[in-house]
């Protein structure tokens, strides 16, 4: 299809070229030959009267014109995608669909495990693909490669809609055989003990670490792990302490010899959000999944498991 002498298929090529900044990789993604992709870039250059991508050393760098076109082209393509893919209704009992969610192992344990159990009963044709959060998750949501991001409010962006799932508090967790800790934990003893902390790759420090840094409290990290769910197992048999999400701490204390104590520091609550693409705001399947998330949270609260 052509619009004002532009083959609209070239917009797809332009979107991928500006993302990959490499003709070979763009050709692979679109299942084209390298010569066909080079030809598409040539036609785009002719239409826009701009080089769009220029070779600088071993890299191709977008021109100022290309930088200005990139968000507009992506917006056009995502709107077309949402119009084509949107269905008038959604029947969970008969639907066959995969929802891709970027979230932490903490959310997987305290929320999505229950979501999976309910899907087995209510919507057996629906599957979930869970991927770890990261600095590129918002770009993936923008490209339509993710259906949801579930993350603290501080890590969301305002470009897409979002809603609160729940507020979380923190507790301190120790092994039941830890003789250095009594029935309560003072700030002095908290800072004296060795700690297990979580560091999620290139993401910002954990919320509790940011708070400690802000108020000048220095804890002694003896073990750092990349997963929230690794922490409880490492506490067993040690005199270490960990500051954990209260929901997760209580969950593991049911299965491991652990004690959950009030924190001597009043950390601000963590607000967990679910975010989805504005391009698919009207998708009934996404709306049904959000309602399922909220139902699971509400039922956890009525069962007395919230803080």
């Amino acid at each position: 299809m052509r619009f004002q002498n532009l083959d609209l298929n070239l917009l797809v090529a332009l979107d991928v070229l500006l993302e990959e900044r490499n003709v070979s990789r763009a050709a692979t993604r679109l299942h084209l030959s390298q010569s066909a992709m080079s030809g598409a870039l040539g036609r785009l250059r002719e239409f826009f009267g701009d080089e769009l991508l220029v070779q600088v050393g071993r890299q191709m760098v977008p021109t100022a014109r290309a930088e200005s076109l990139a968000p507009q082209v992506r917006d056009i393509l995502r709107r077309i995608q949402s119009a084509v893919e949107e269905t008038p209704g959604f029947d969970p009992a008969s639907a066959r669909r995969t929802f891709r969610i970027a979230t932490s192992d903490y959310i997987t344990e305290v929320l999505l495990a229950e979501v999976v159990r309910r899907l087995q009963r209510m919507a057996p044709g629906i599957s979930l693909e869970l991927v770890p959060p990261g600095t590129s998750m918002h770009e993936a949501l923008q490209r339509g490669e993710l259906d949801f991001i579930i993350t603290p409010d501080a890590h969301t962006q305002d470009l897409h809609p979002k809603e609160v799932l729940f507020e979380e508090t923190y507790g301190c967790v120790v092994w039941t055989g830890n003789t250095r800790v009594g029935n309560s934990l003072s700030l002095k003893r908290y800072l004296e003990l060795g700690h297990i902390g979580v560091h999620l790759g290139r993401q910002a420090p954990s919320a509790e670490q940011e708070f400690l840094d802000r108020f000048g409290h220095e804890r002694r990290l003896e073990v750092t792990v990349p997963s929230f769910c690794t922490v409880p197992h490492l506490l067993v048999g040690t005199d270490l302490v960990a500051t954990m999400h209260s929901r997760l701490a209580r969950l593991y204390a049911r299965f491991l010899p652990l004690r959950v104590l009030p924190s001597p520091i009043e950390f601000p609550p963590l607000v967990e959000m679910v975010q989805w693409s504005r391009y698919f705001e009207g998708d009934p399947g996404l709306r049904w999944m959000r309602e399922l998330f909220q139902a699971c949270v509400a039922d956890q609260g009525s069962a007395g498991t919230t803080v």
Side-chain angles (χ1 to χ4, degrees):
M1 180 178 176
R2 304 186 73 84
F3 179 75
Q4 295 186 351
N5 295 321
L6 174 66
D7 180 352
L8 295 184
N9 290 318
L10 290 175
L11 292 182
V12 177
L14 179 59
D15 182 52
V16 176
L17 280 165
L18 293 181
E19 182 183 342
E20 294 291 347
R21 302 185 182 189
N22 181 283
V23 172
S24 298
R25 290 198 300 268
T28 299
R29 276 186 55 181
L30 293 179
H31 306 288
L32 296 174
S33 66
Q34 185 167 340
S35 61
M37 182 57 72
S38 296
L41 177 58
R43 292 195 296 277
L44 285 163
R45 285 168 167 167
E46 181 180 358
F47 180 84
F48 288 106
D50 187 271
E51 284 296 294
L52 300 176
L53 287 167
V54 294
Q55 195 76 34
V56 178
R58 295 186 176 182
Q59 294 182 323
M60 297 193 80
V61 177
T63 64
R65 174 70 166 139
E67 292 279 14
S68 68
L69 283 170
Q72 300 177 60
V73 169
R74 178 150 296 162
D75 185 76
I76 290 168
L77 293 176
R78 297 303 167 261
R79 290 181 184 279
I80 293 171
Q81 181 183 0
S82 65
V84 170
E85 294 183 355
E86 187 172 312
T87 56
F90 180 79
D91 177 19
S94 61
R96 303 195 67 83
R97 183 169 174 180
T98 297
F99 291 98
R100 199 161 189 259
I101 306 172
T103 196
S104 66
D105 57 328
Y106 150 65
I107 289 293
T108 300
E109 289 274 16
V110 303
L111 174 61
L112 296 183
E114 177 59 23
V115 170
V116 169
R117 287 189 285 271
R118 296 194 186 196
L119 287 176
Q120 287 282 296
R121 300 192 304 268
M122 303 165 59
I126 292 178
S127 58
L128 302 182
E129 182 182 351
L130 307 181
V131 300
T135 55
S136 62
M137 63 184 179
H138 294 289
E139 288 76 8
L141 187 71
Q142 177 78 359
R143 292 193 299 267
E145 296 170 2
L146 285 175
D147 294 296
F148 297 107
I149 295 172
I150 302 179
T151 191
D153 191 25
H155 297 159
T156 63
Q157 295 183 352
D158 293 334
L159 181 61
H160 297 286
K162 58 185 177 181
E163 63 186 18
V164 175
L165 283 175
F166 59 84
E167 287 193 358
E168 178 67 291
T169 60
Y170 293 90
C172 292
V173 185
V174 296
W175 175 47
T176 54
N178 187 339
T179 58
R180 298 185 63 189
V181 178
N183 294 325
S184 62
L185 188 61
S186 67
L187 176 59
K188 181 176 183 295
R189 180 51 54 90
Y190 175 82
L191 295 176
E192 287 174 350
L193 292 170
H195 287 247
I196 300 177
V198 178
H199 183 68
L200 301 176
R202 295 183 179 179
Q203 282 193 296
S206 60
E208 73 273 13
Q209 184 63 56
E210 286 184 318
F211 188 79
L212 289 167
D213 292 343
R214 190 187 316 159
F215 289 93
H217 296 304
E218 186 174 347
R219 61 178 175 176
R220 182 162 52 88
L221 281 173
E222 291 197 4
V223 182
T224 304
V225 296
S227 163
F228 294 108
C229 295
T230 304
V231 174
H233 301 278
L234 295 179
L235 287 169
V236 176
T238 76
D239 61 0
L240 300 172
V241 64
T243 305
M244 291 180 58
H245 305 93
S246 295
R247 281 173 171 79
L248 191 65
R250 287 196 301 268
L251 175 64
Y252 273 92
R254 291 165 50 193
F255 305 105
L256 295 173
L258 299 172
R259 288 192 294 149
V260 184
L261 302 170
S263 171
I265 298 173
E266 188 175 351
F267 294 101
L270 185 69
V271 181
E272 289 288 346
M273 310 289 291
V274 58
Q275 187 159 40
W276 60 97
S277 173
R278 63 193 174 100
Y279 302 115
F280 302 99
E281 177 71 21
D283 185 325
L286 295 183
R287 184 166 56 249
W288 184 85
M289 282 297 298
R290 297 200 307 272
E291 291 170 355
L292 180 60
F293 297 155
Q294 296 289 2
C296 290
V297 171
D299 288 348
Q300 287 175 350
S302 64
T305 57
T306 57
V307 175

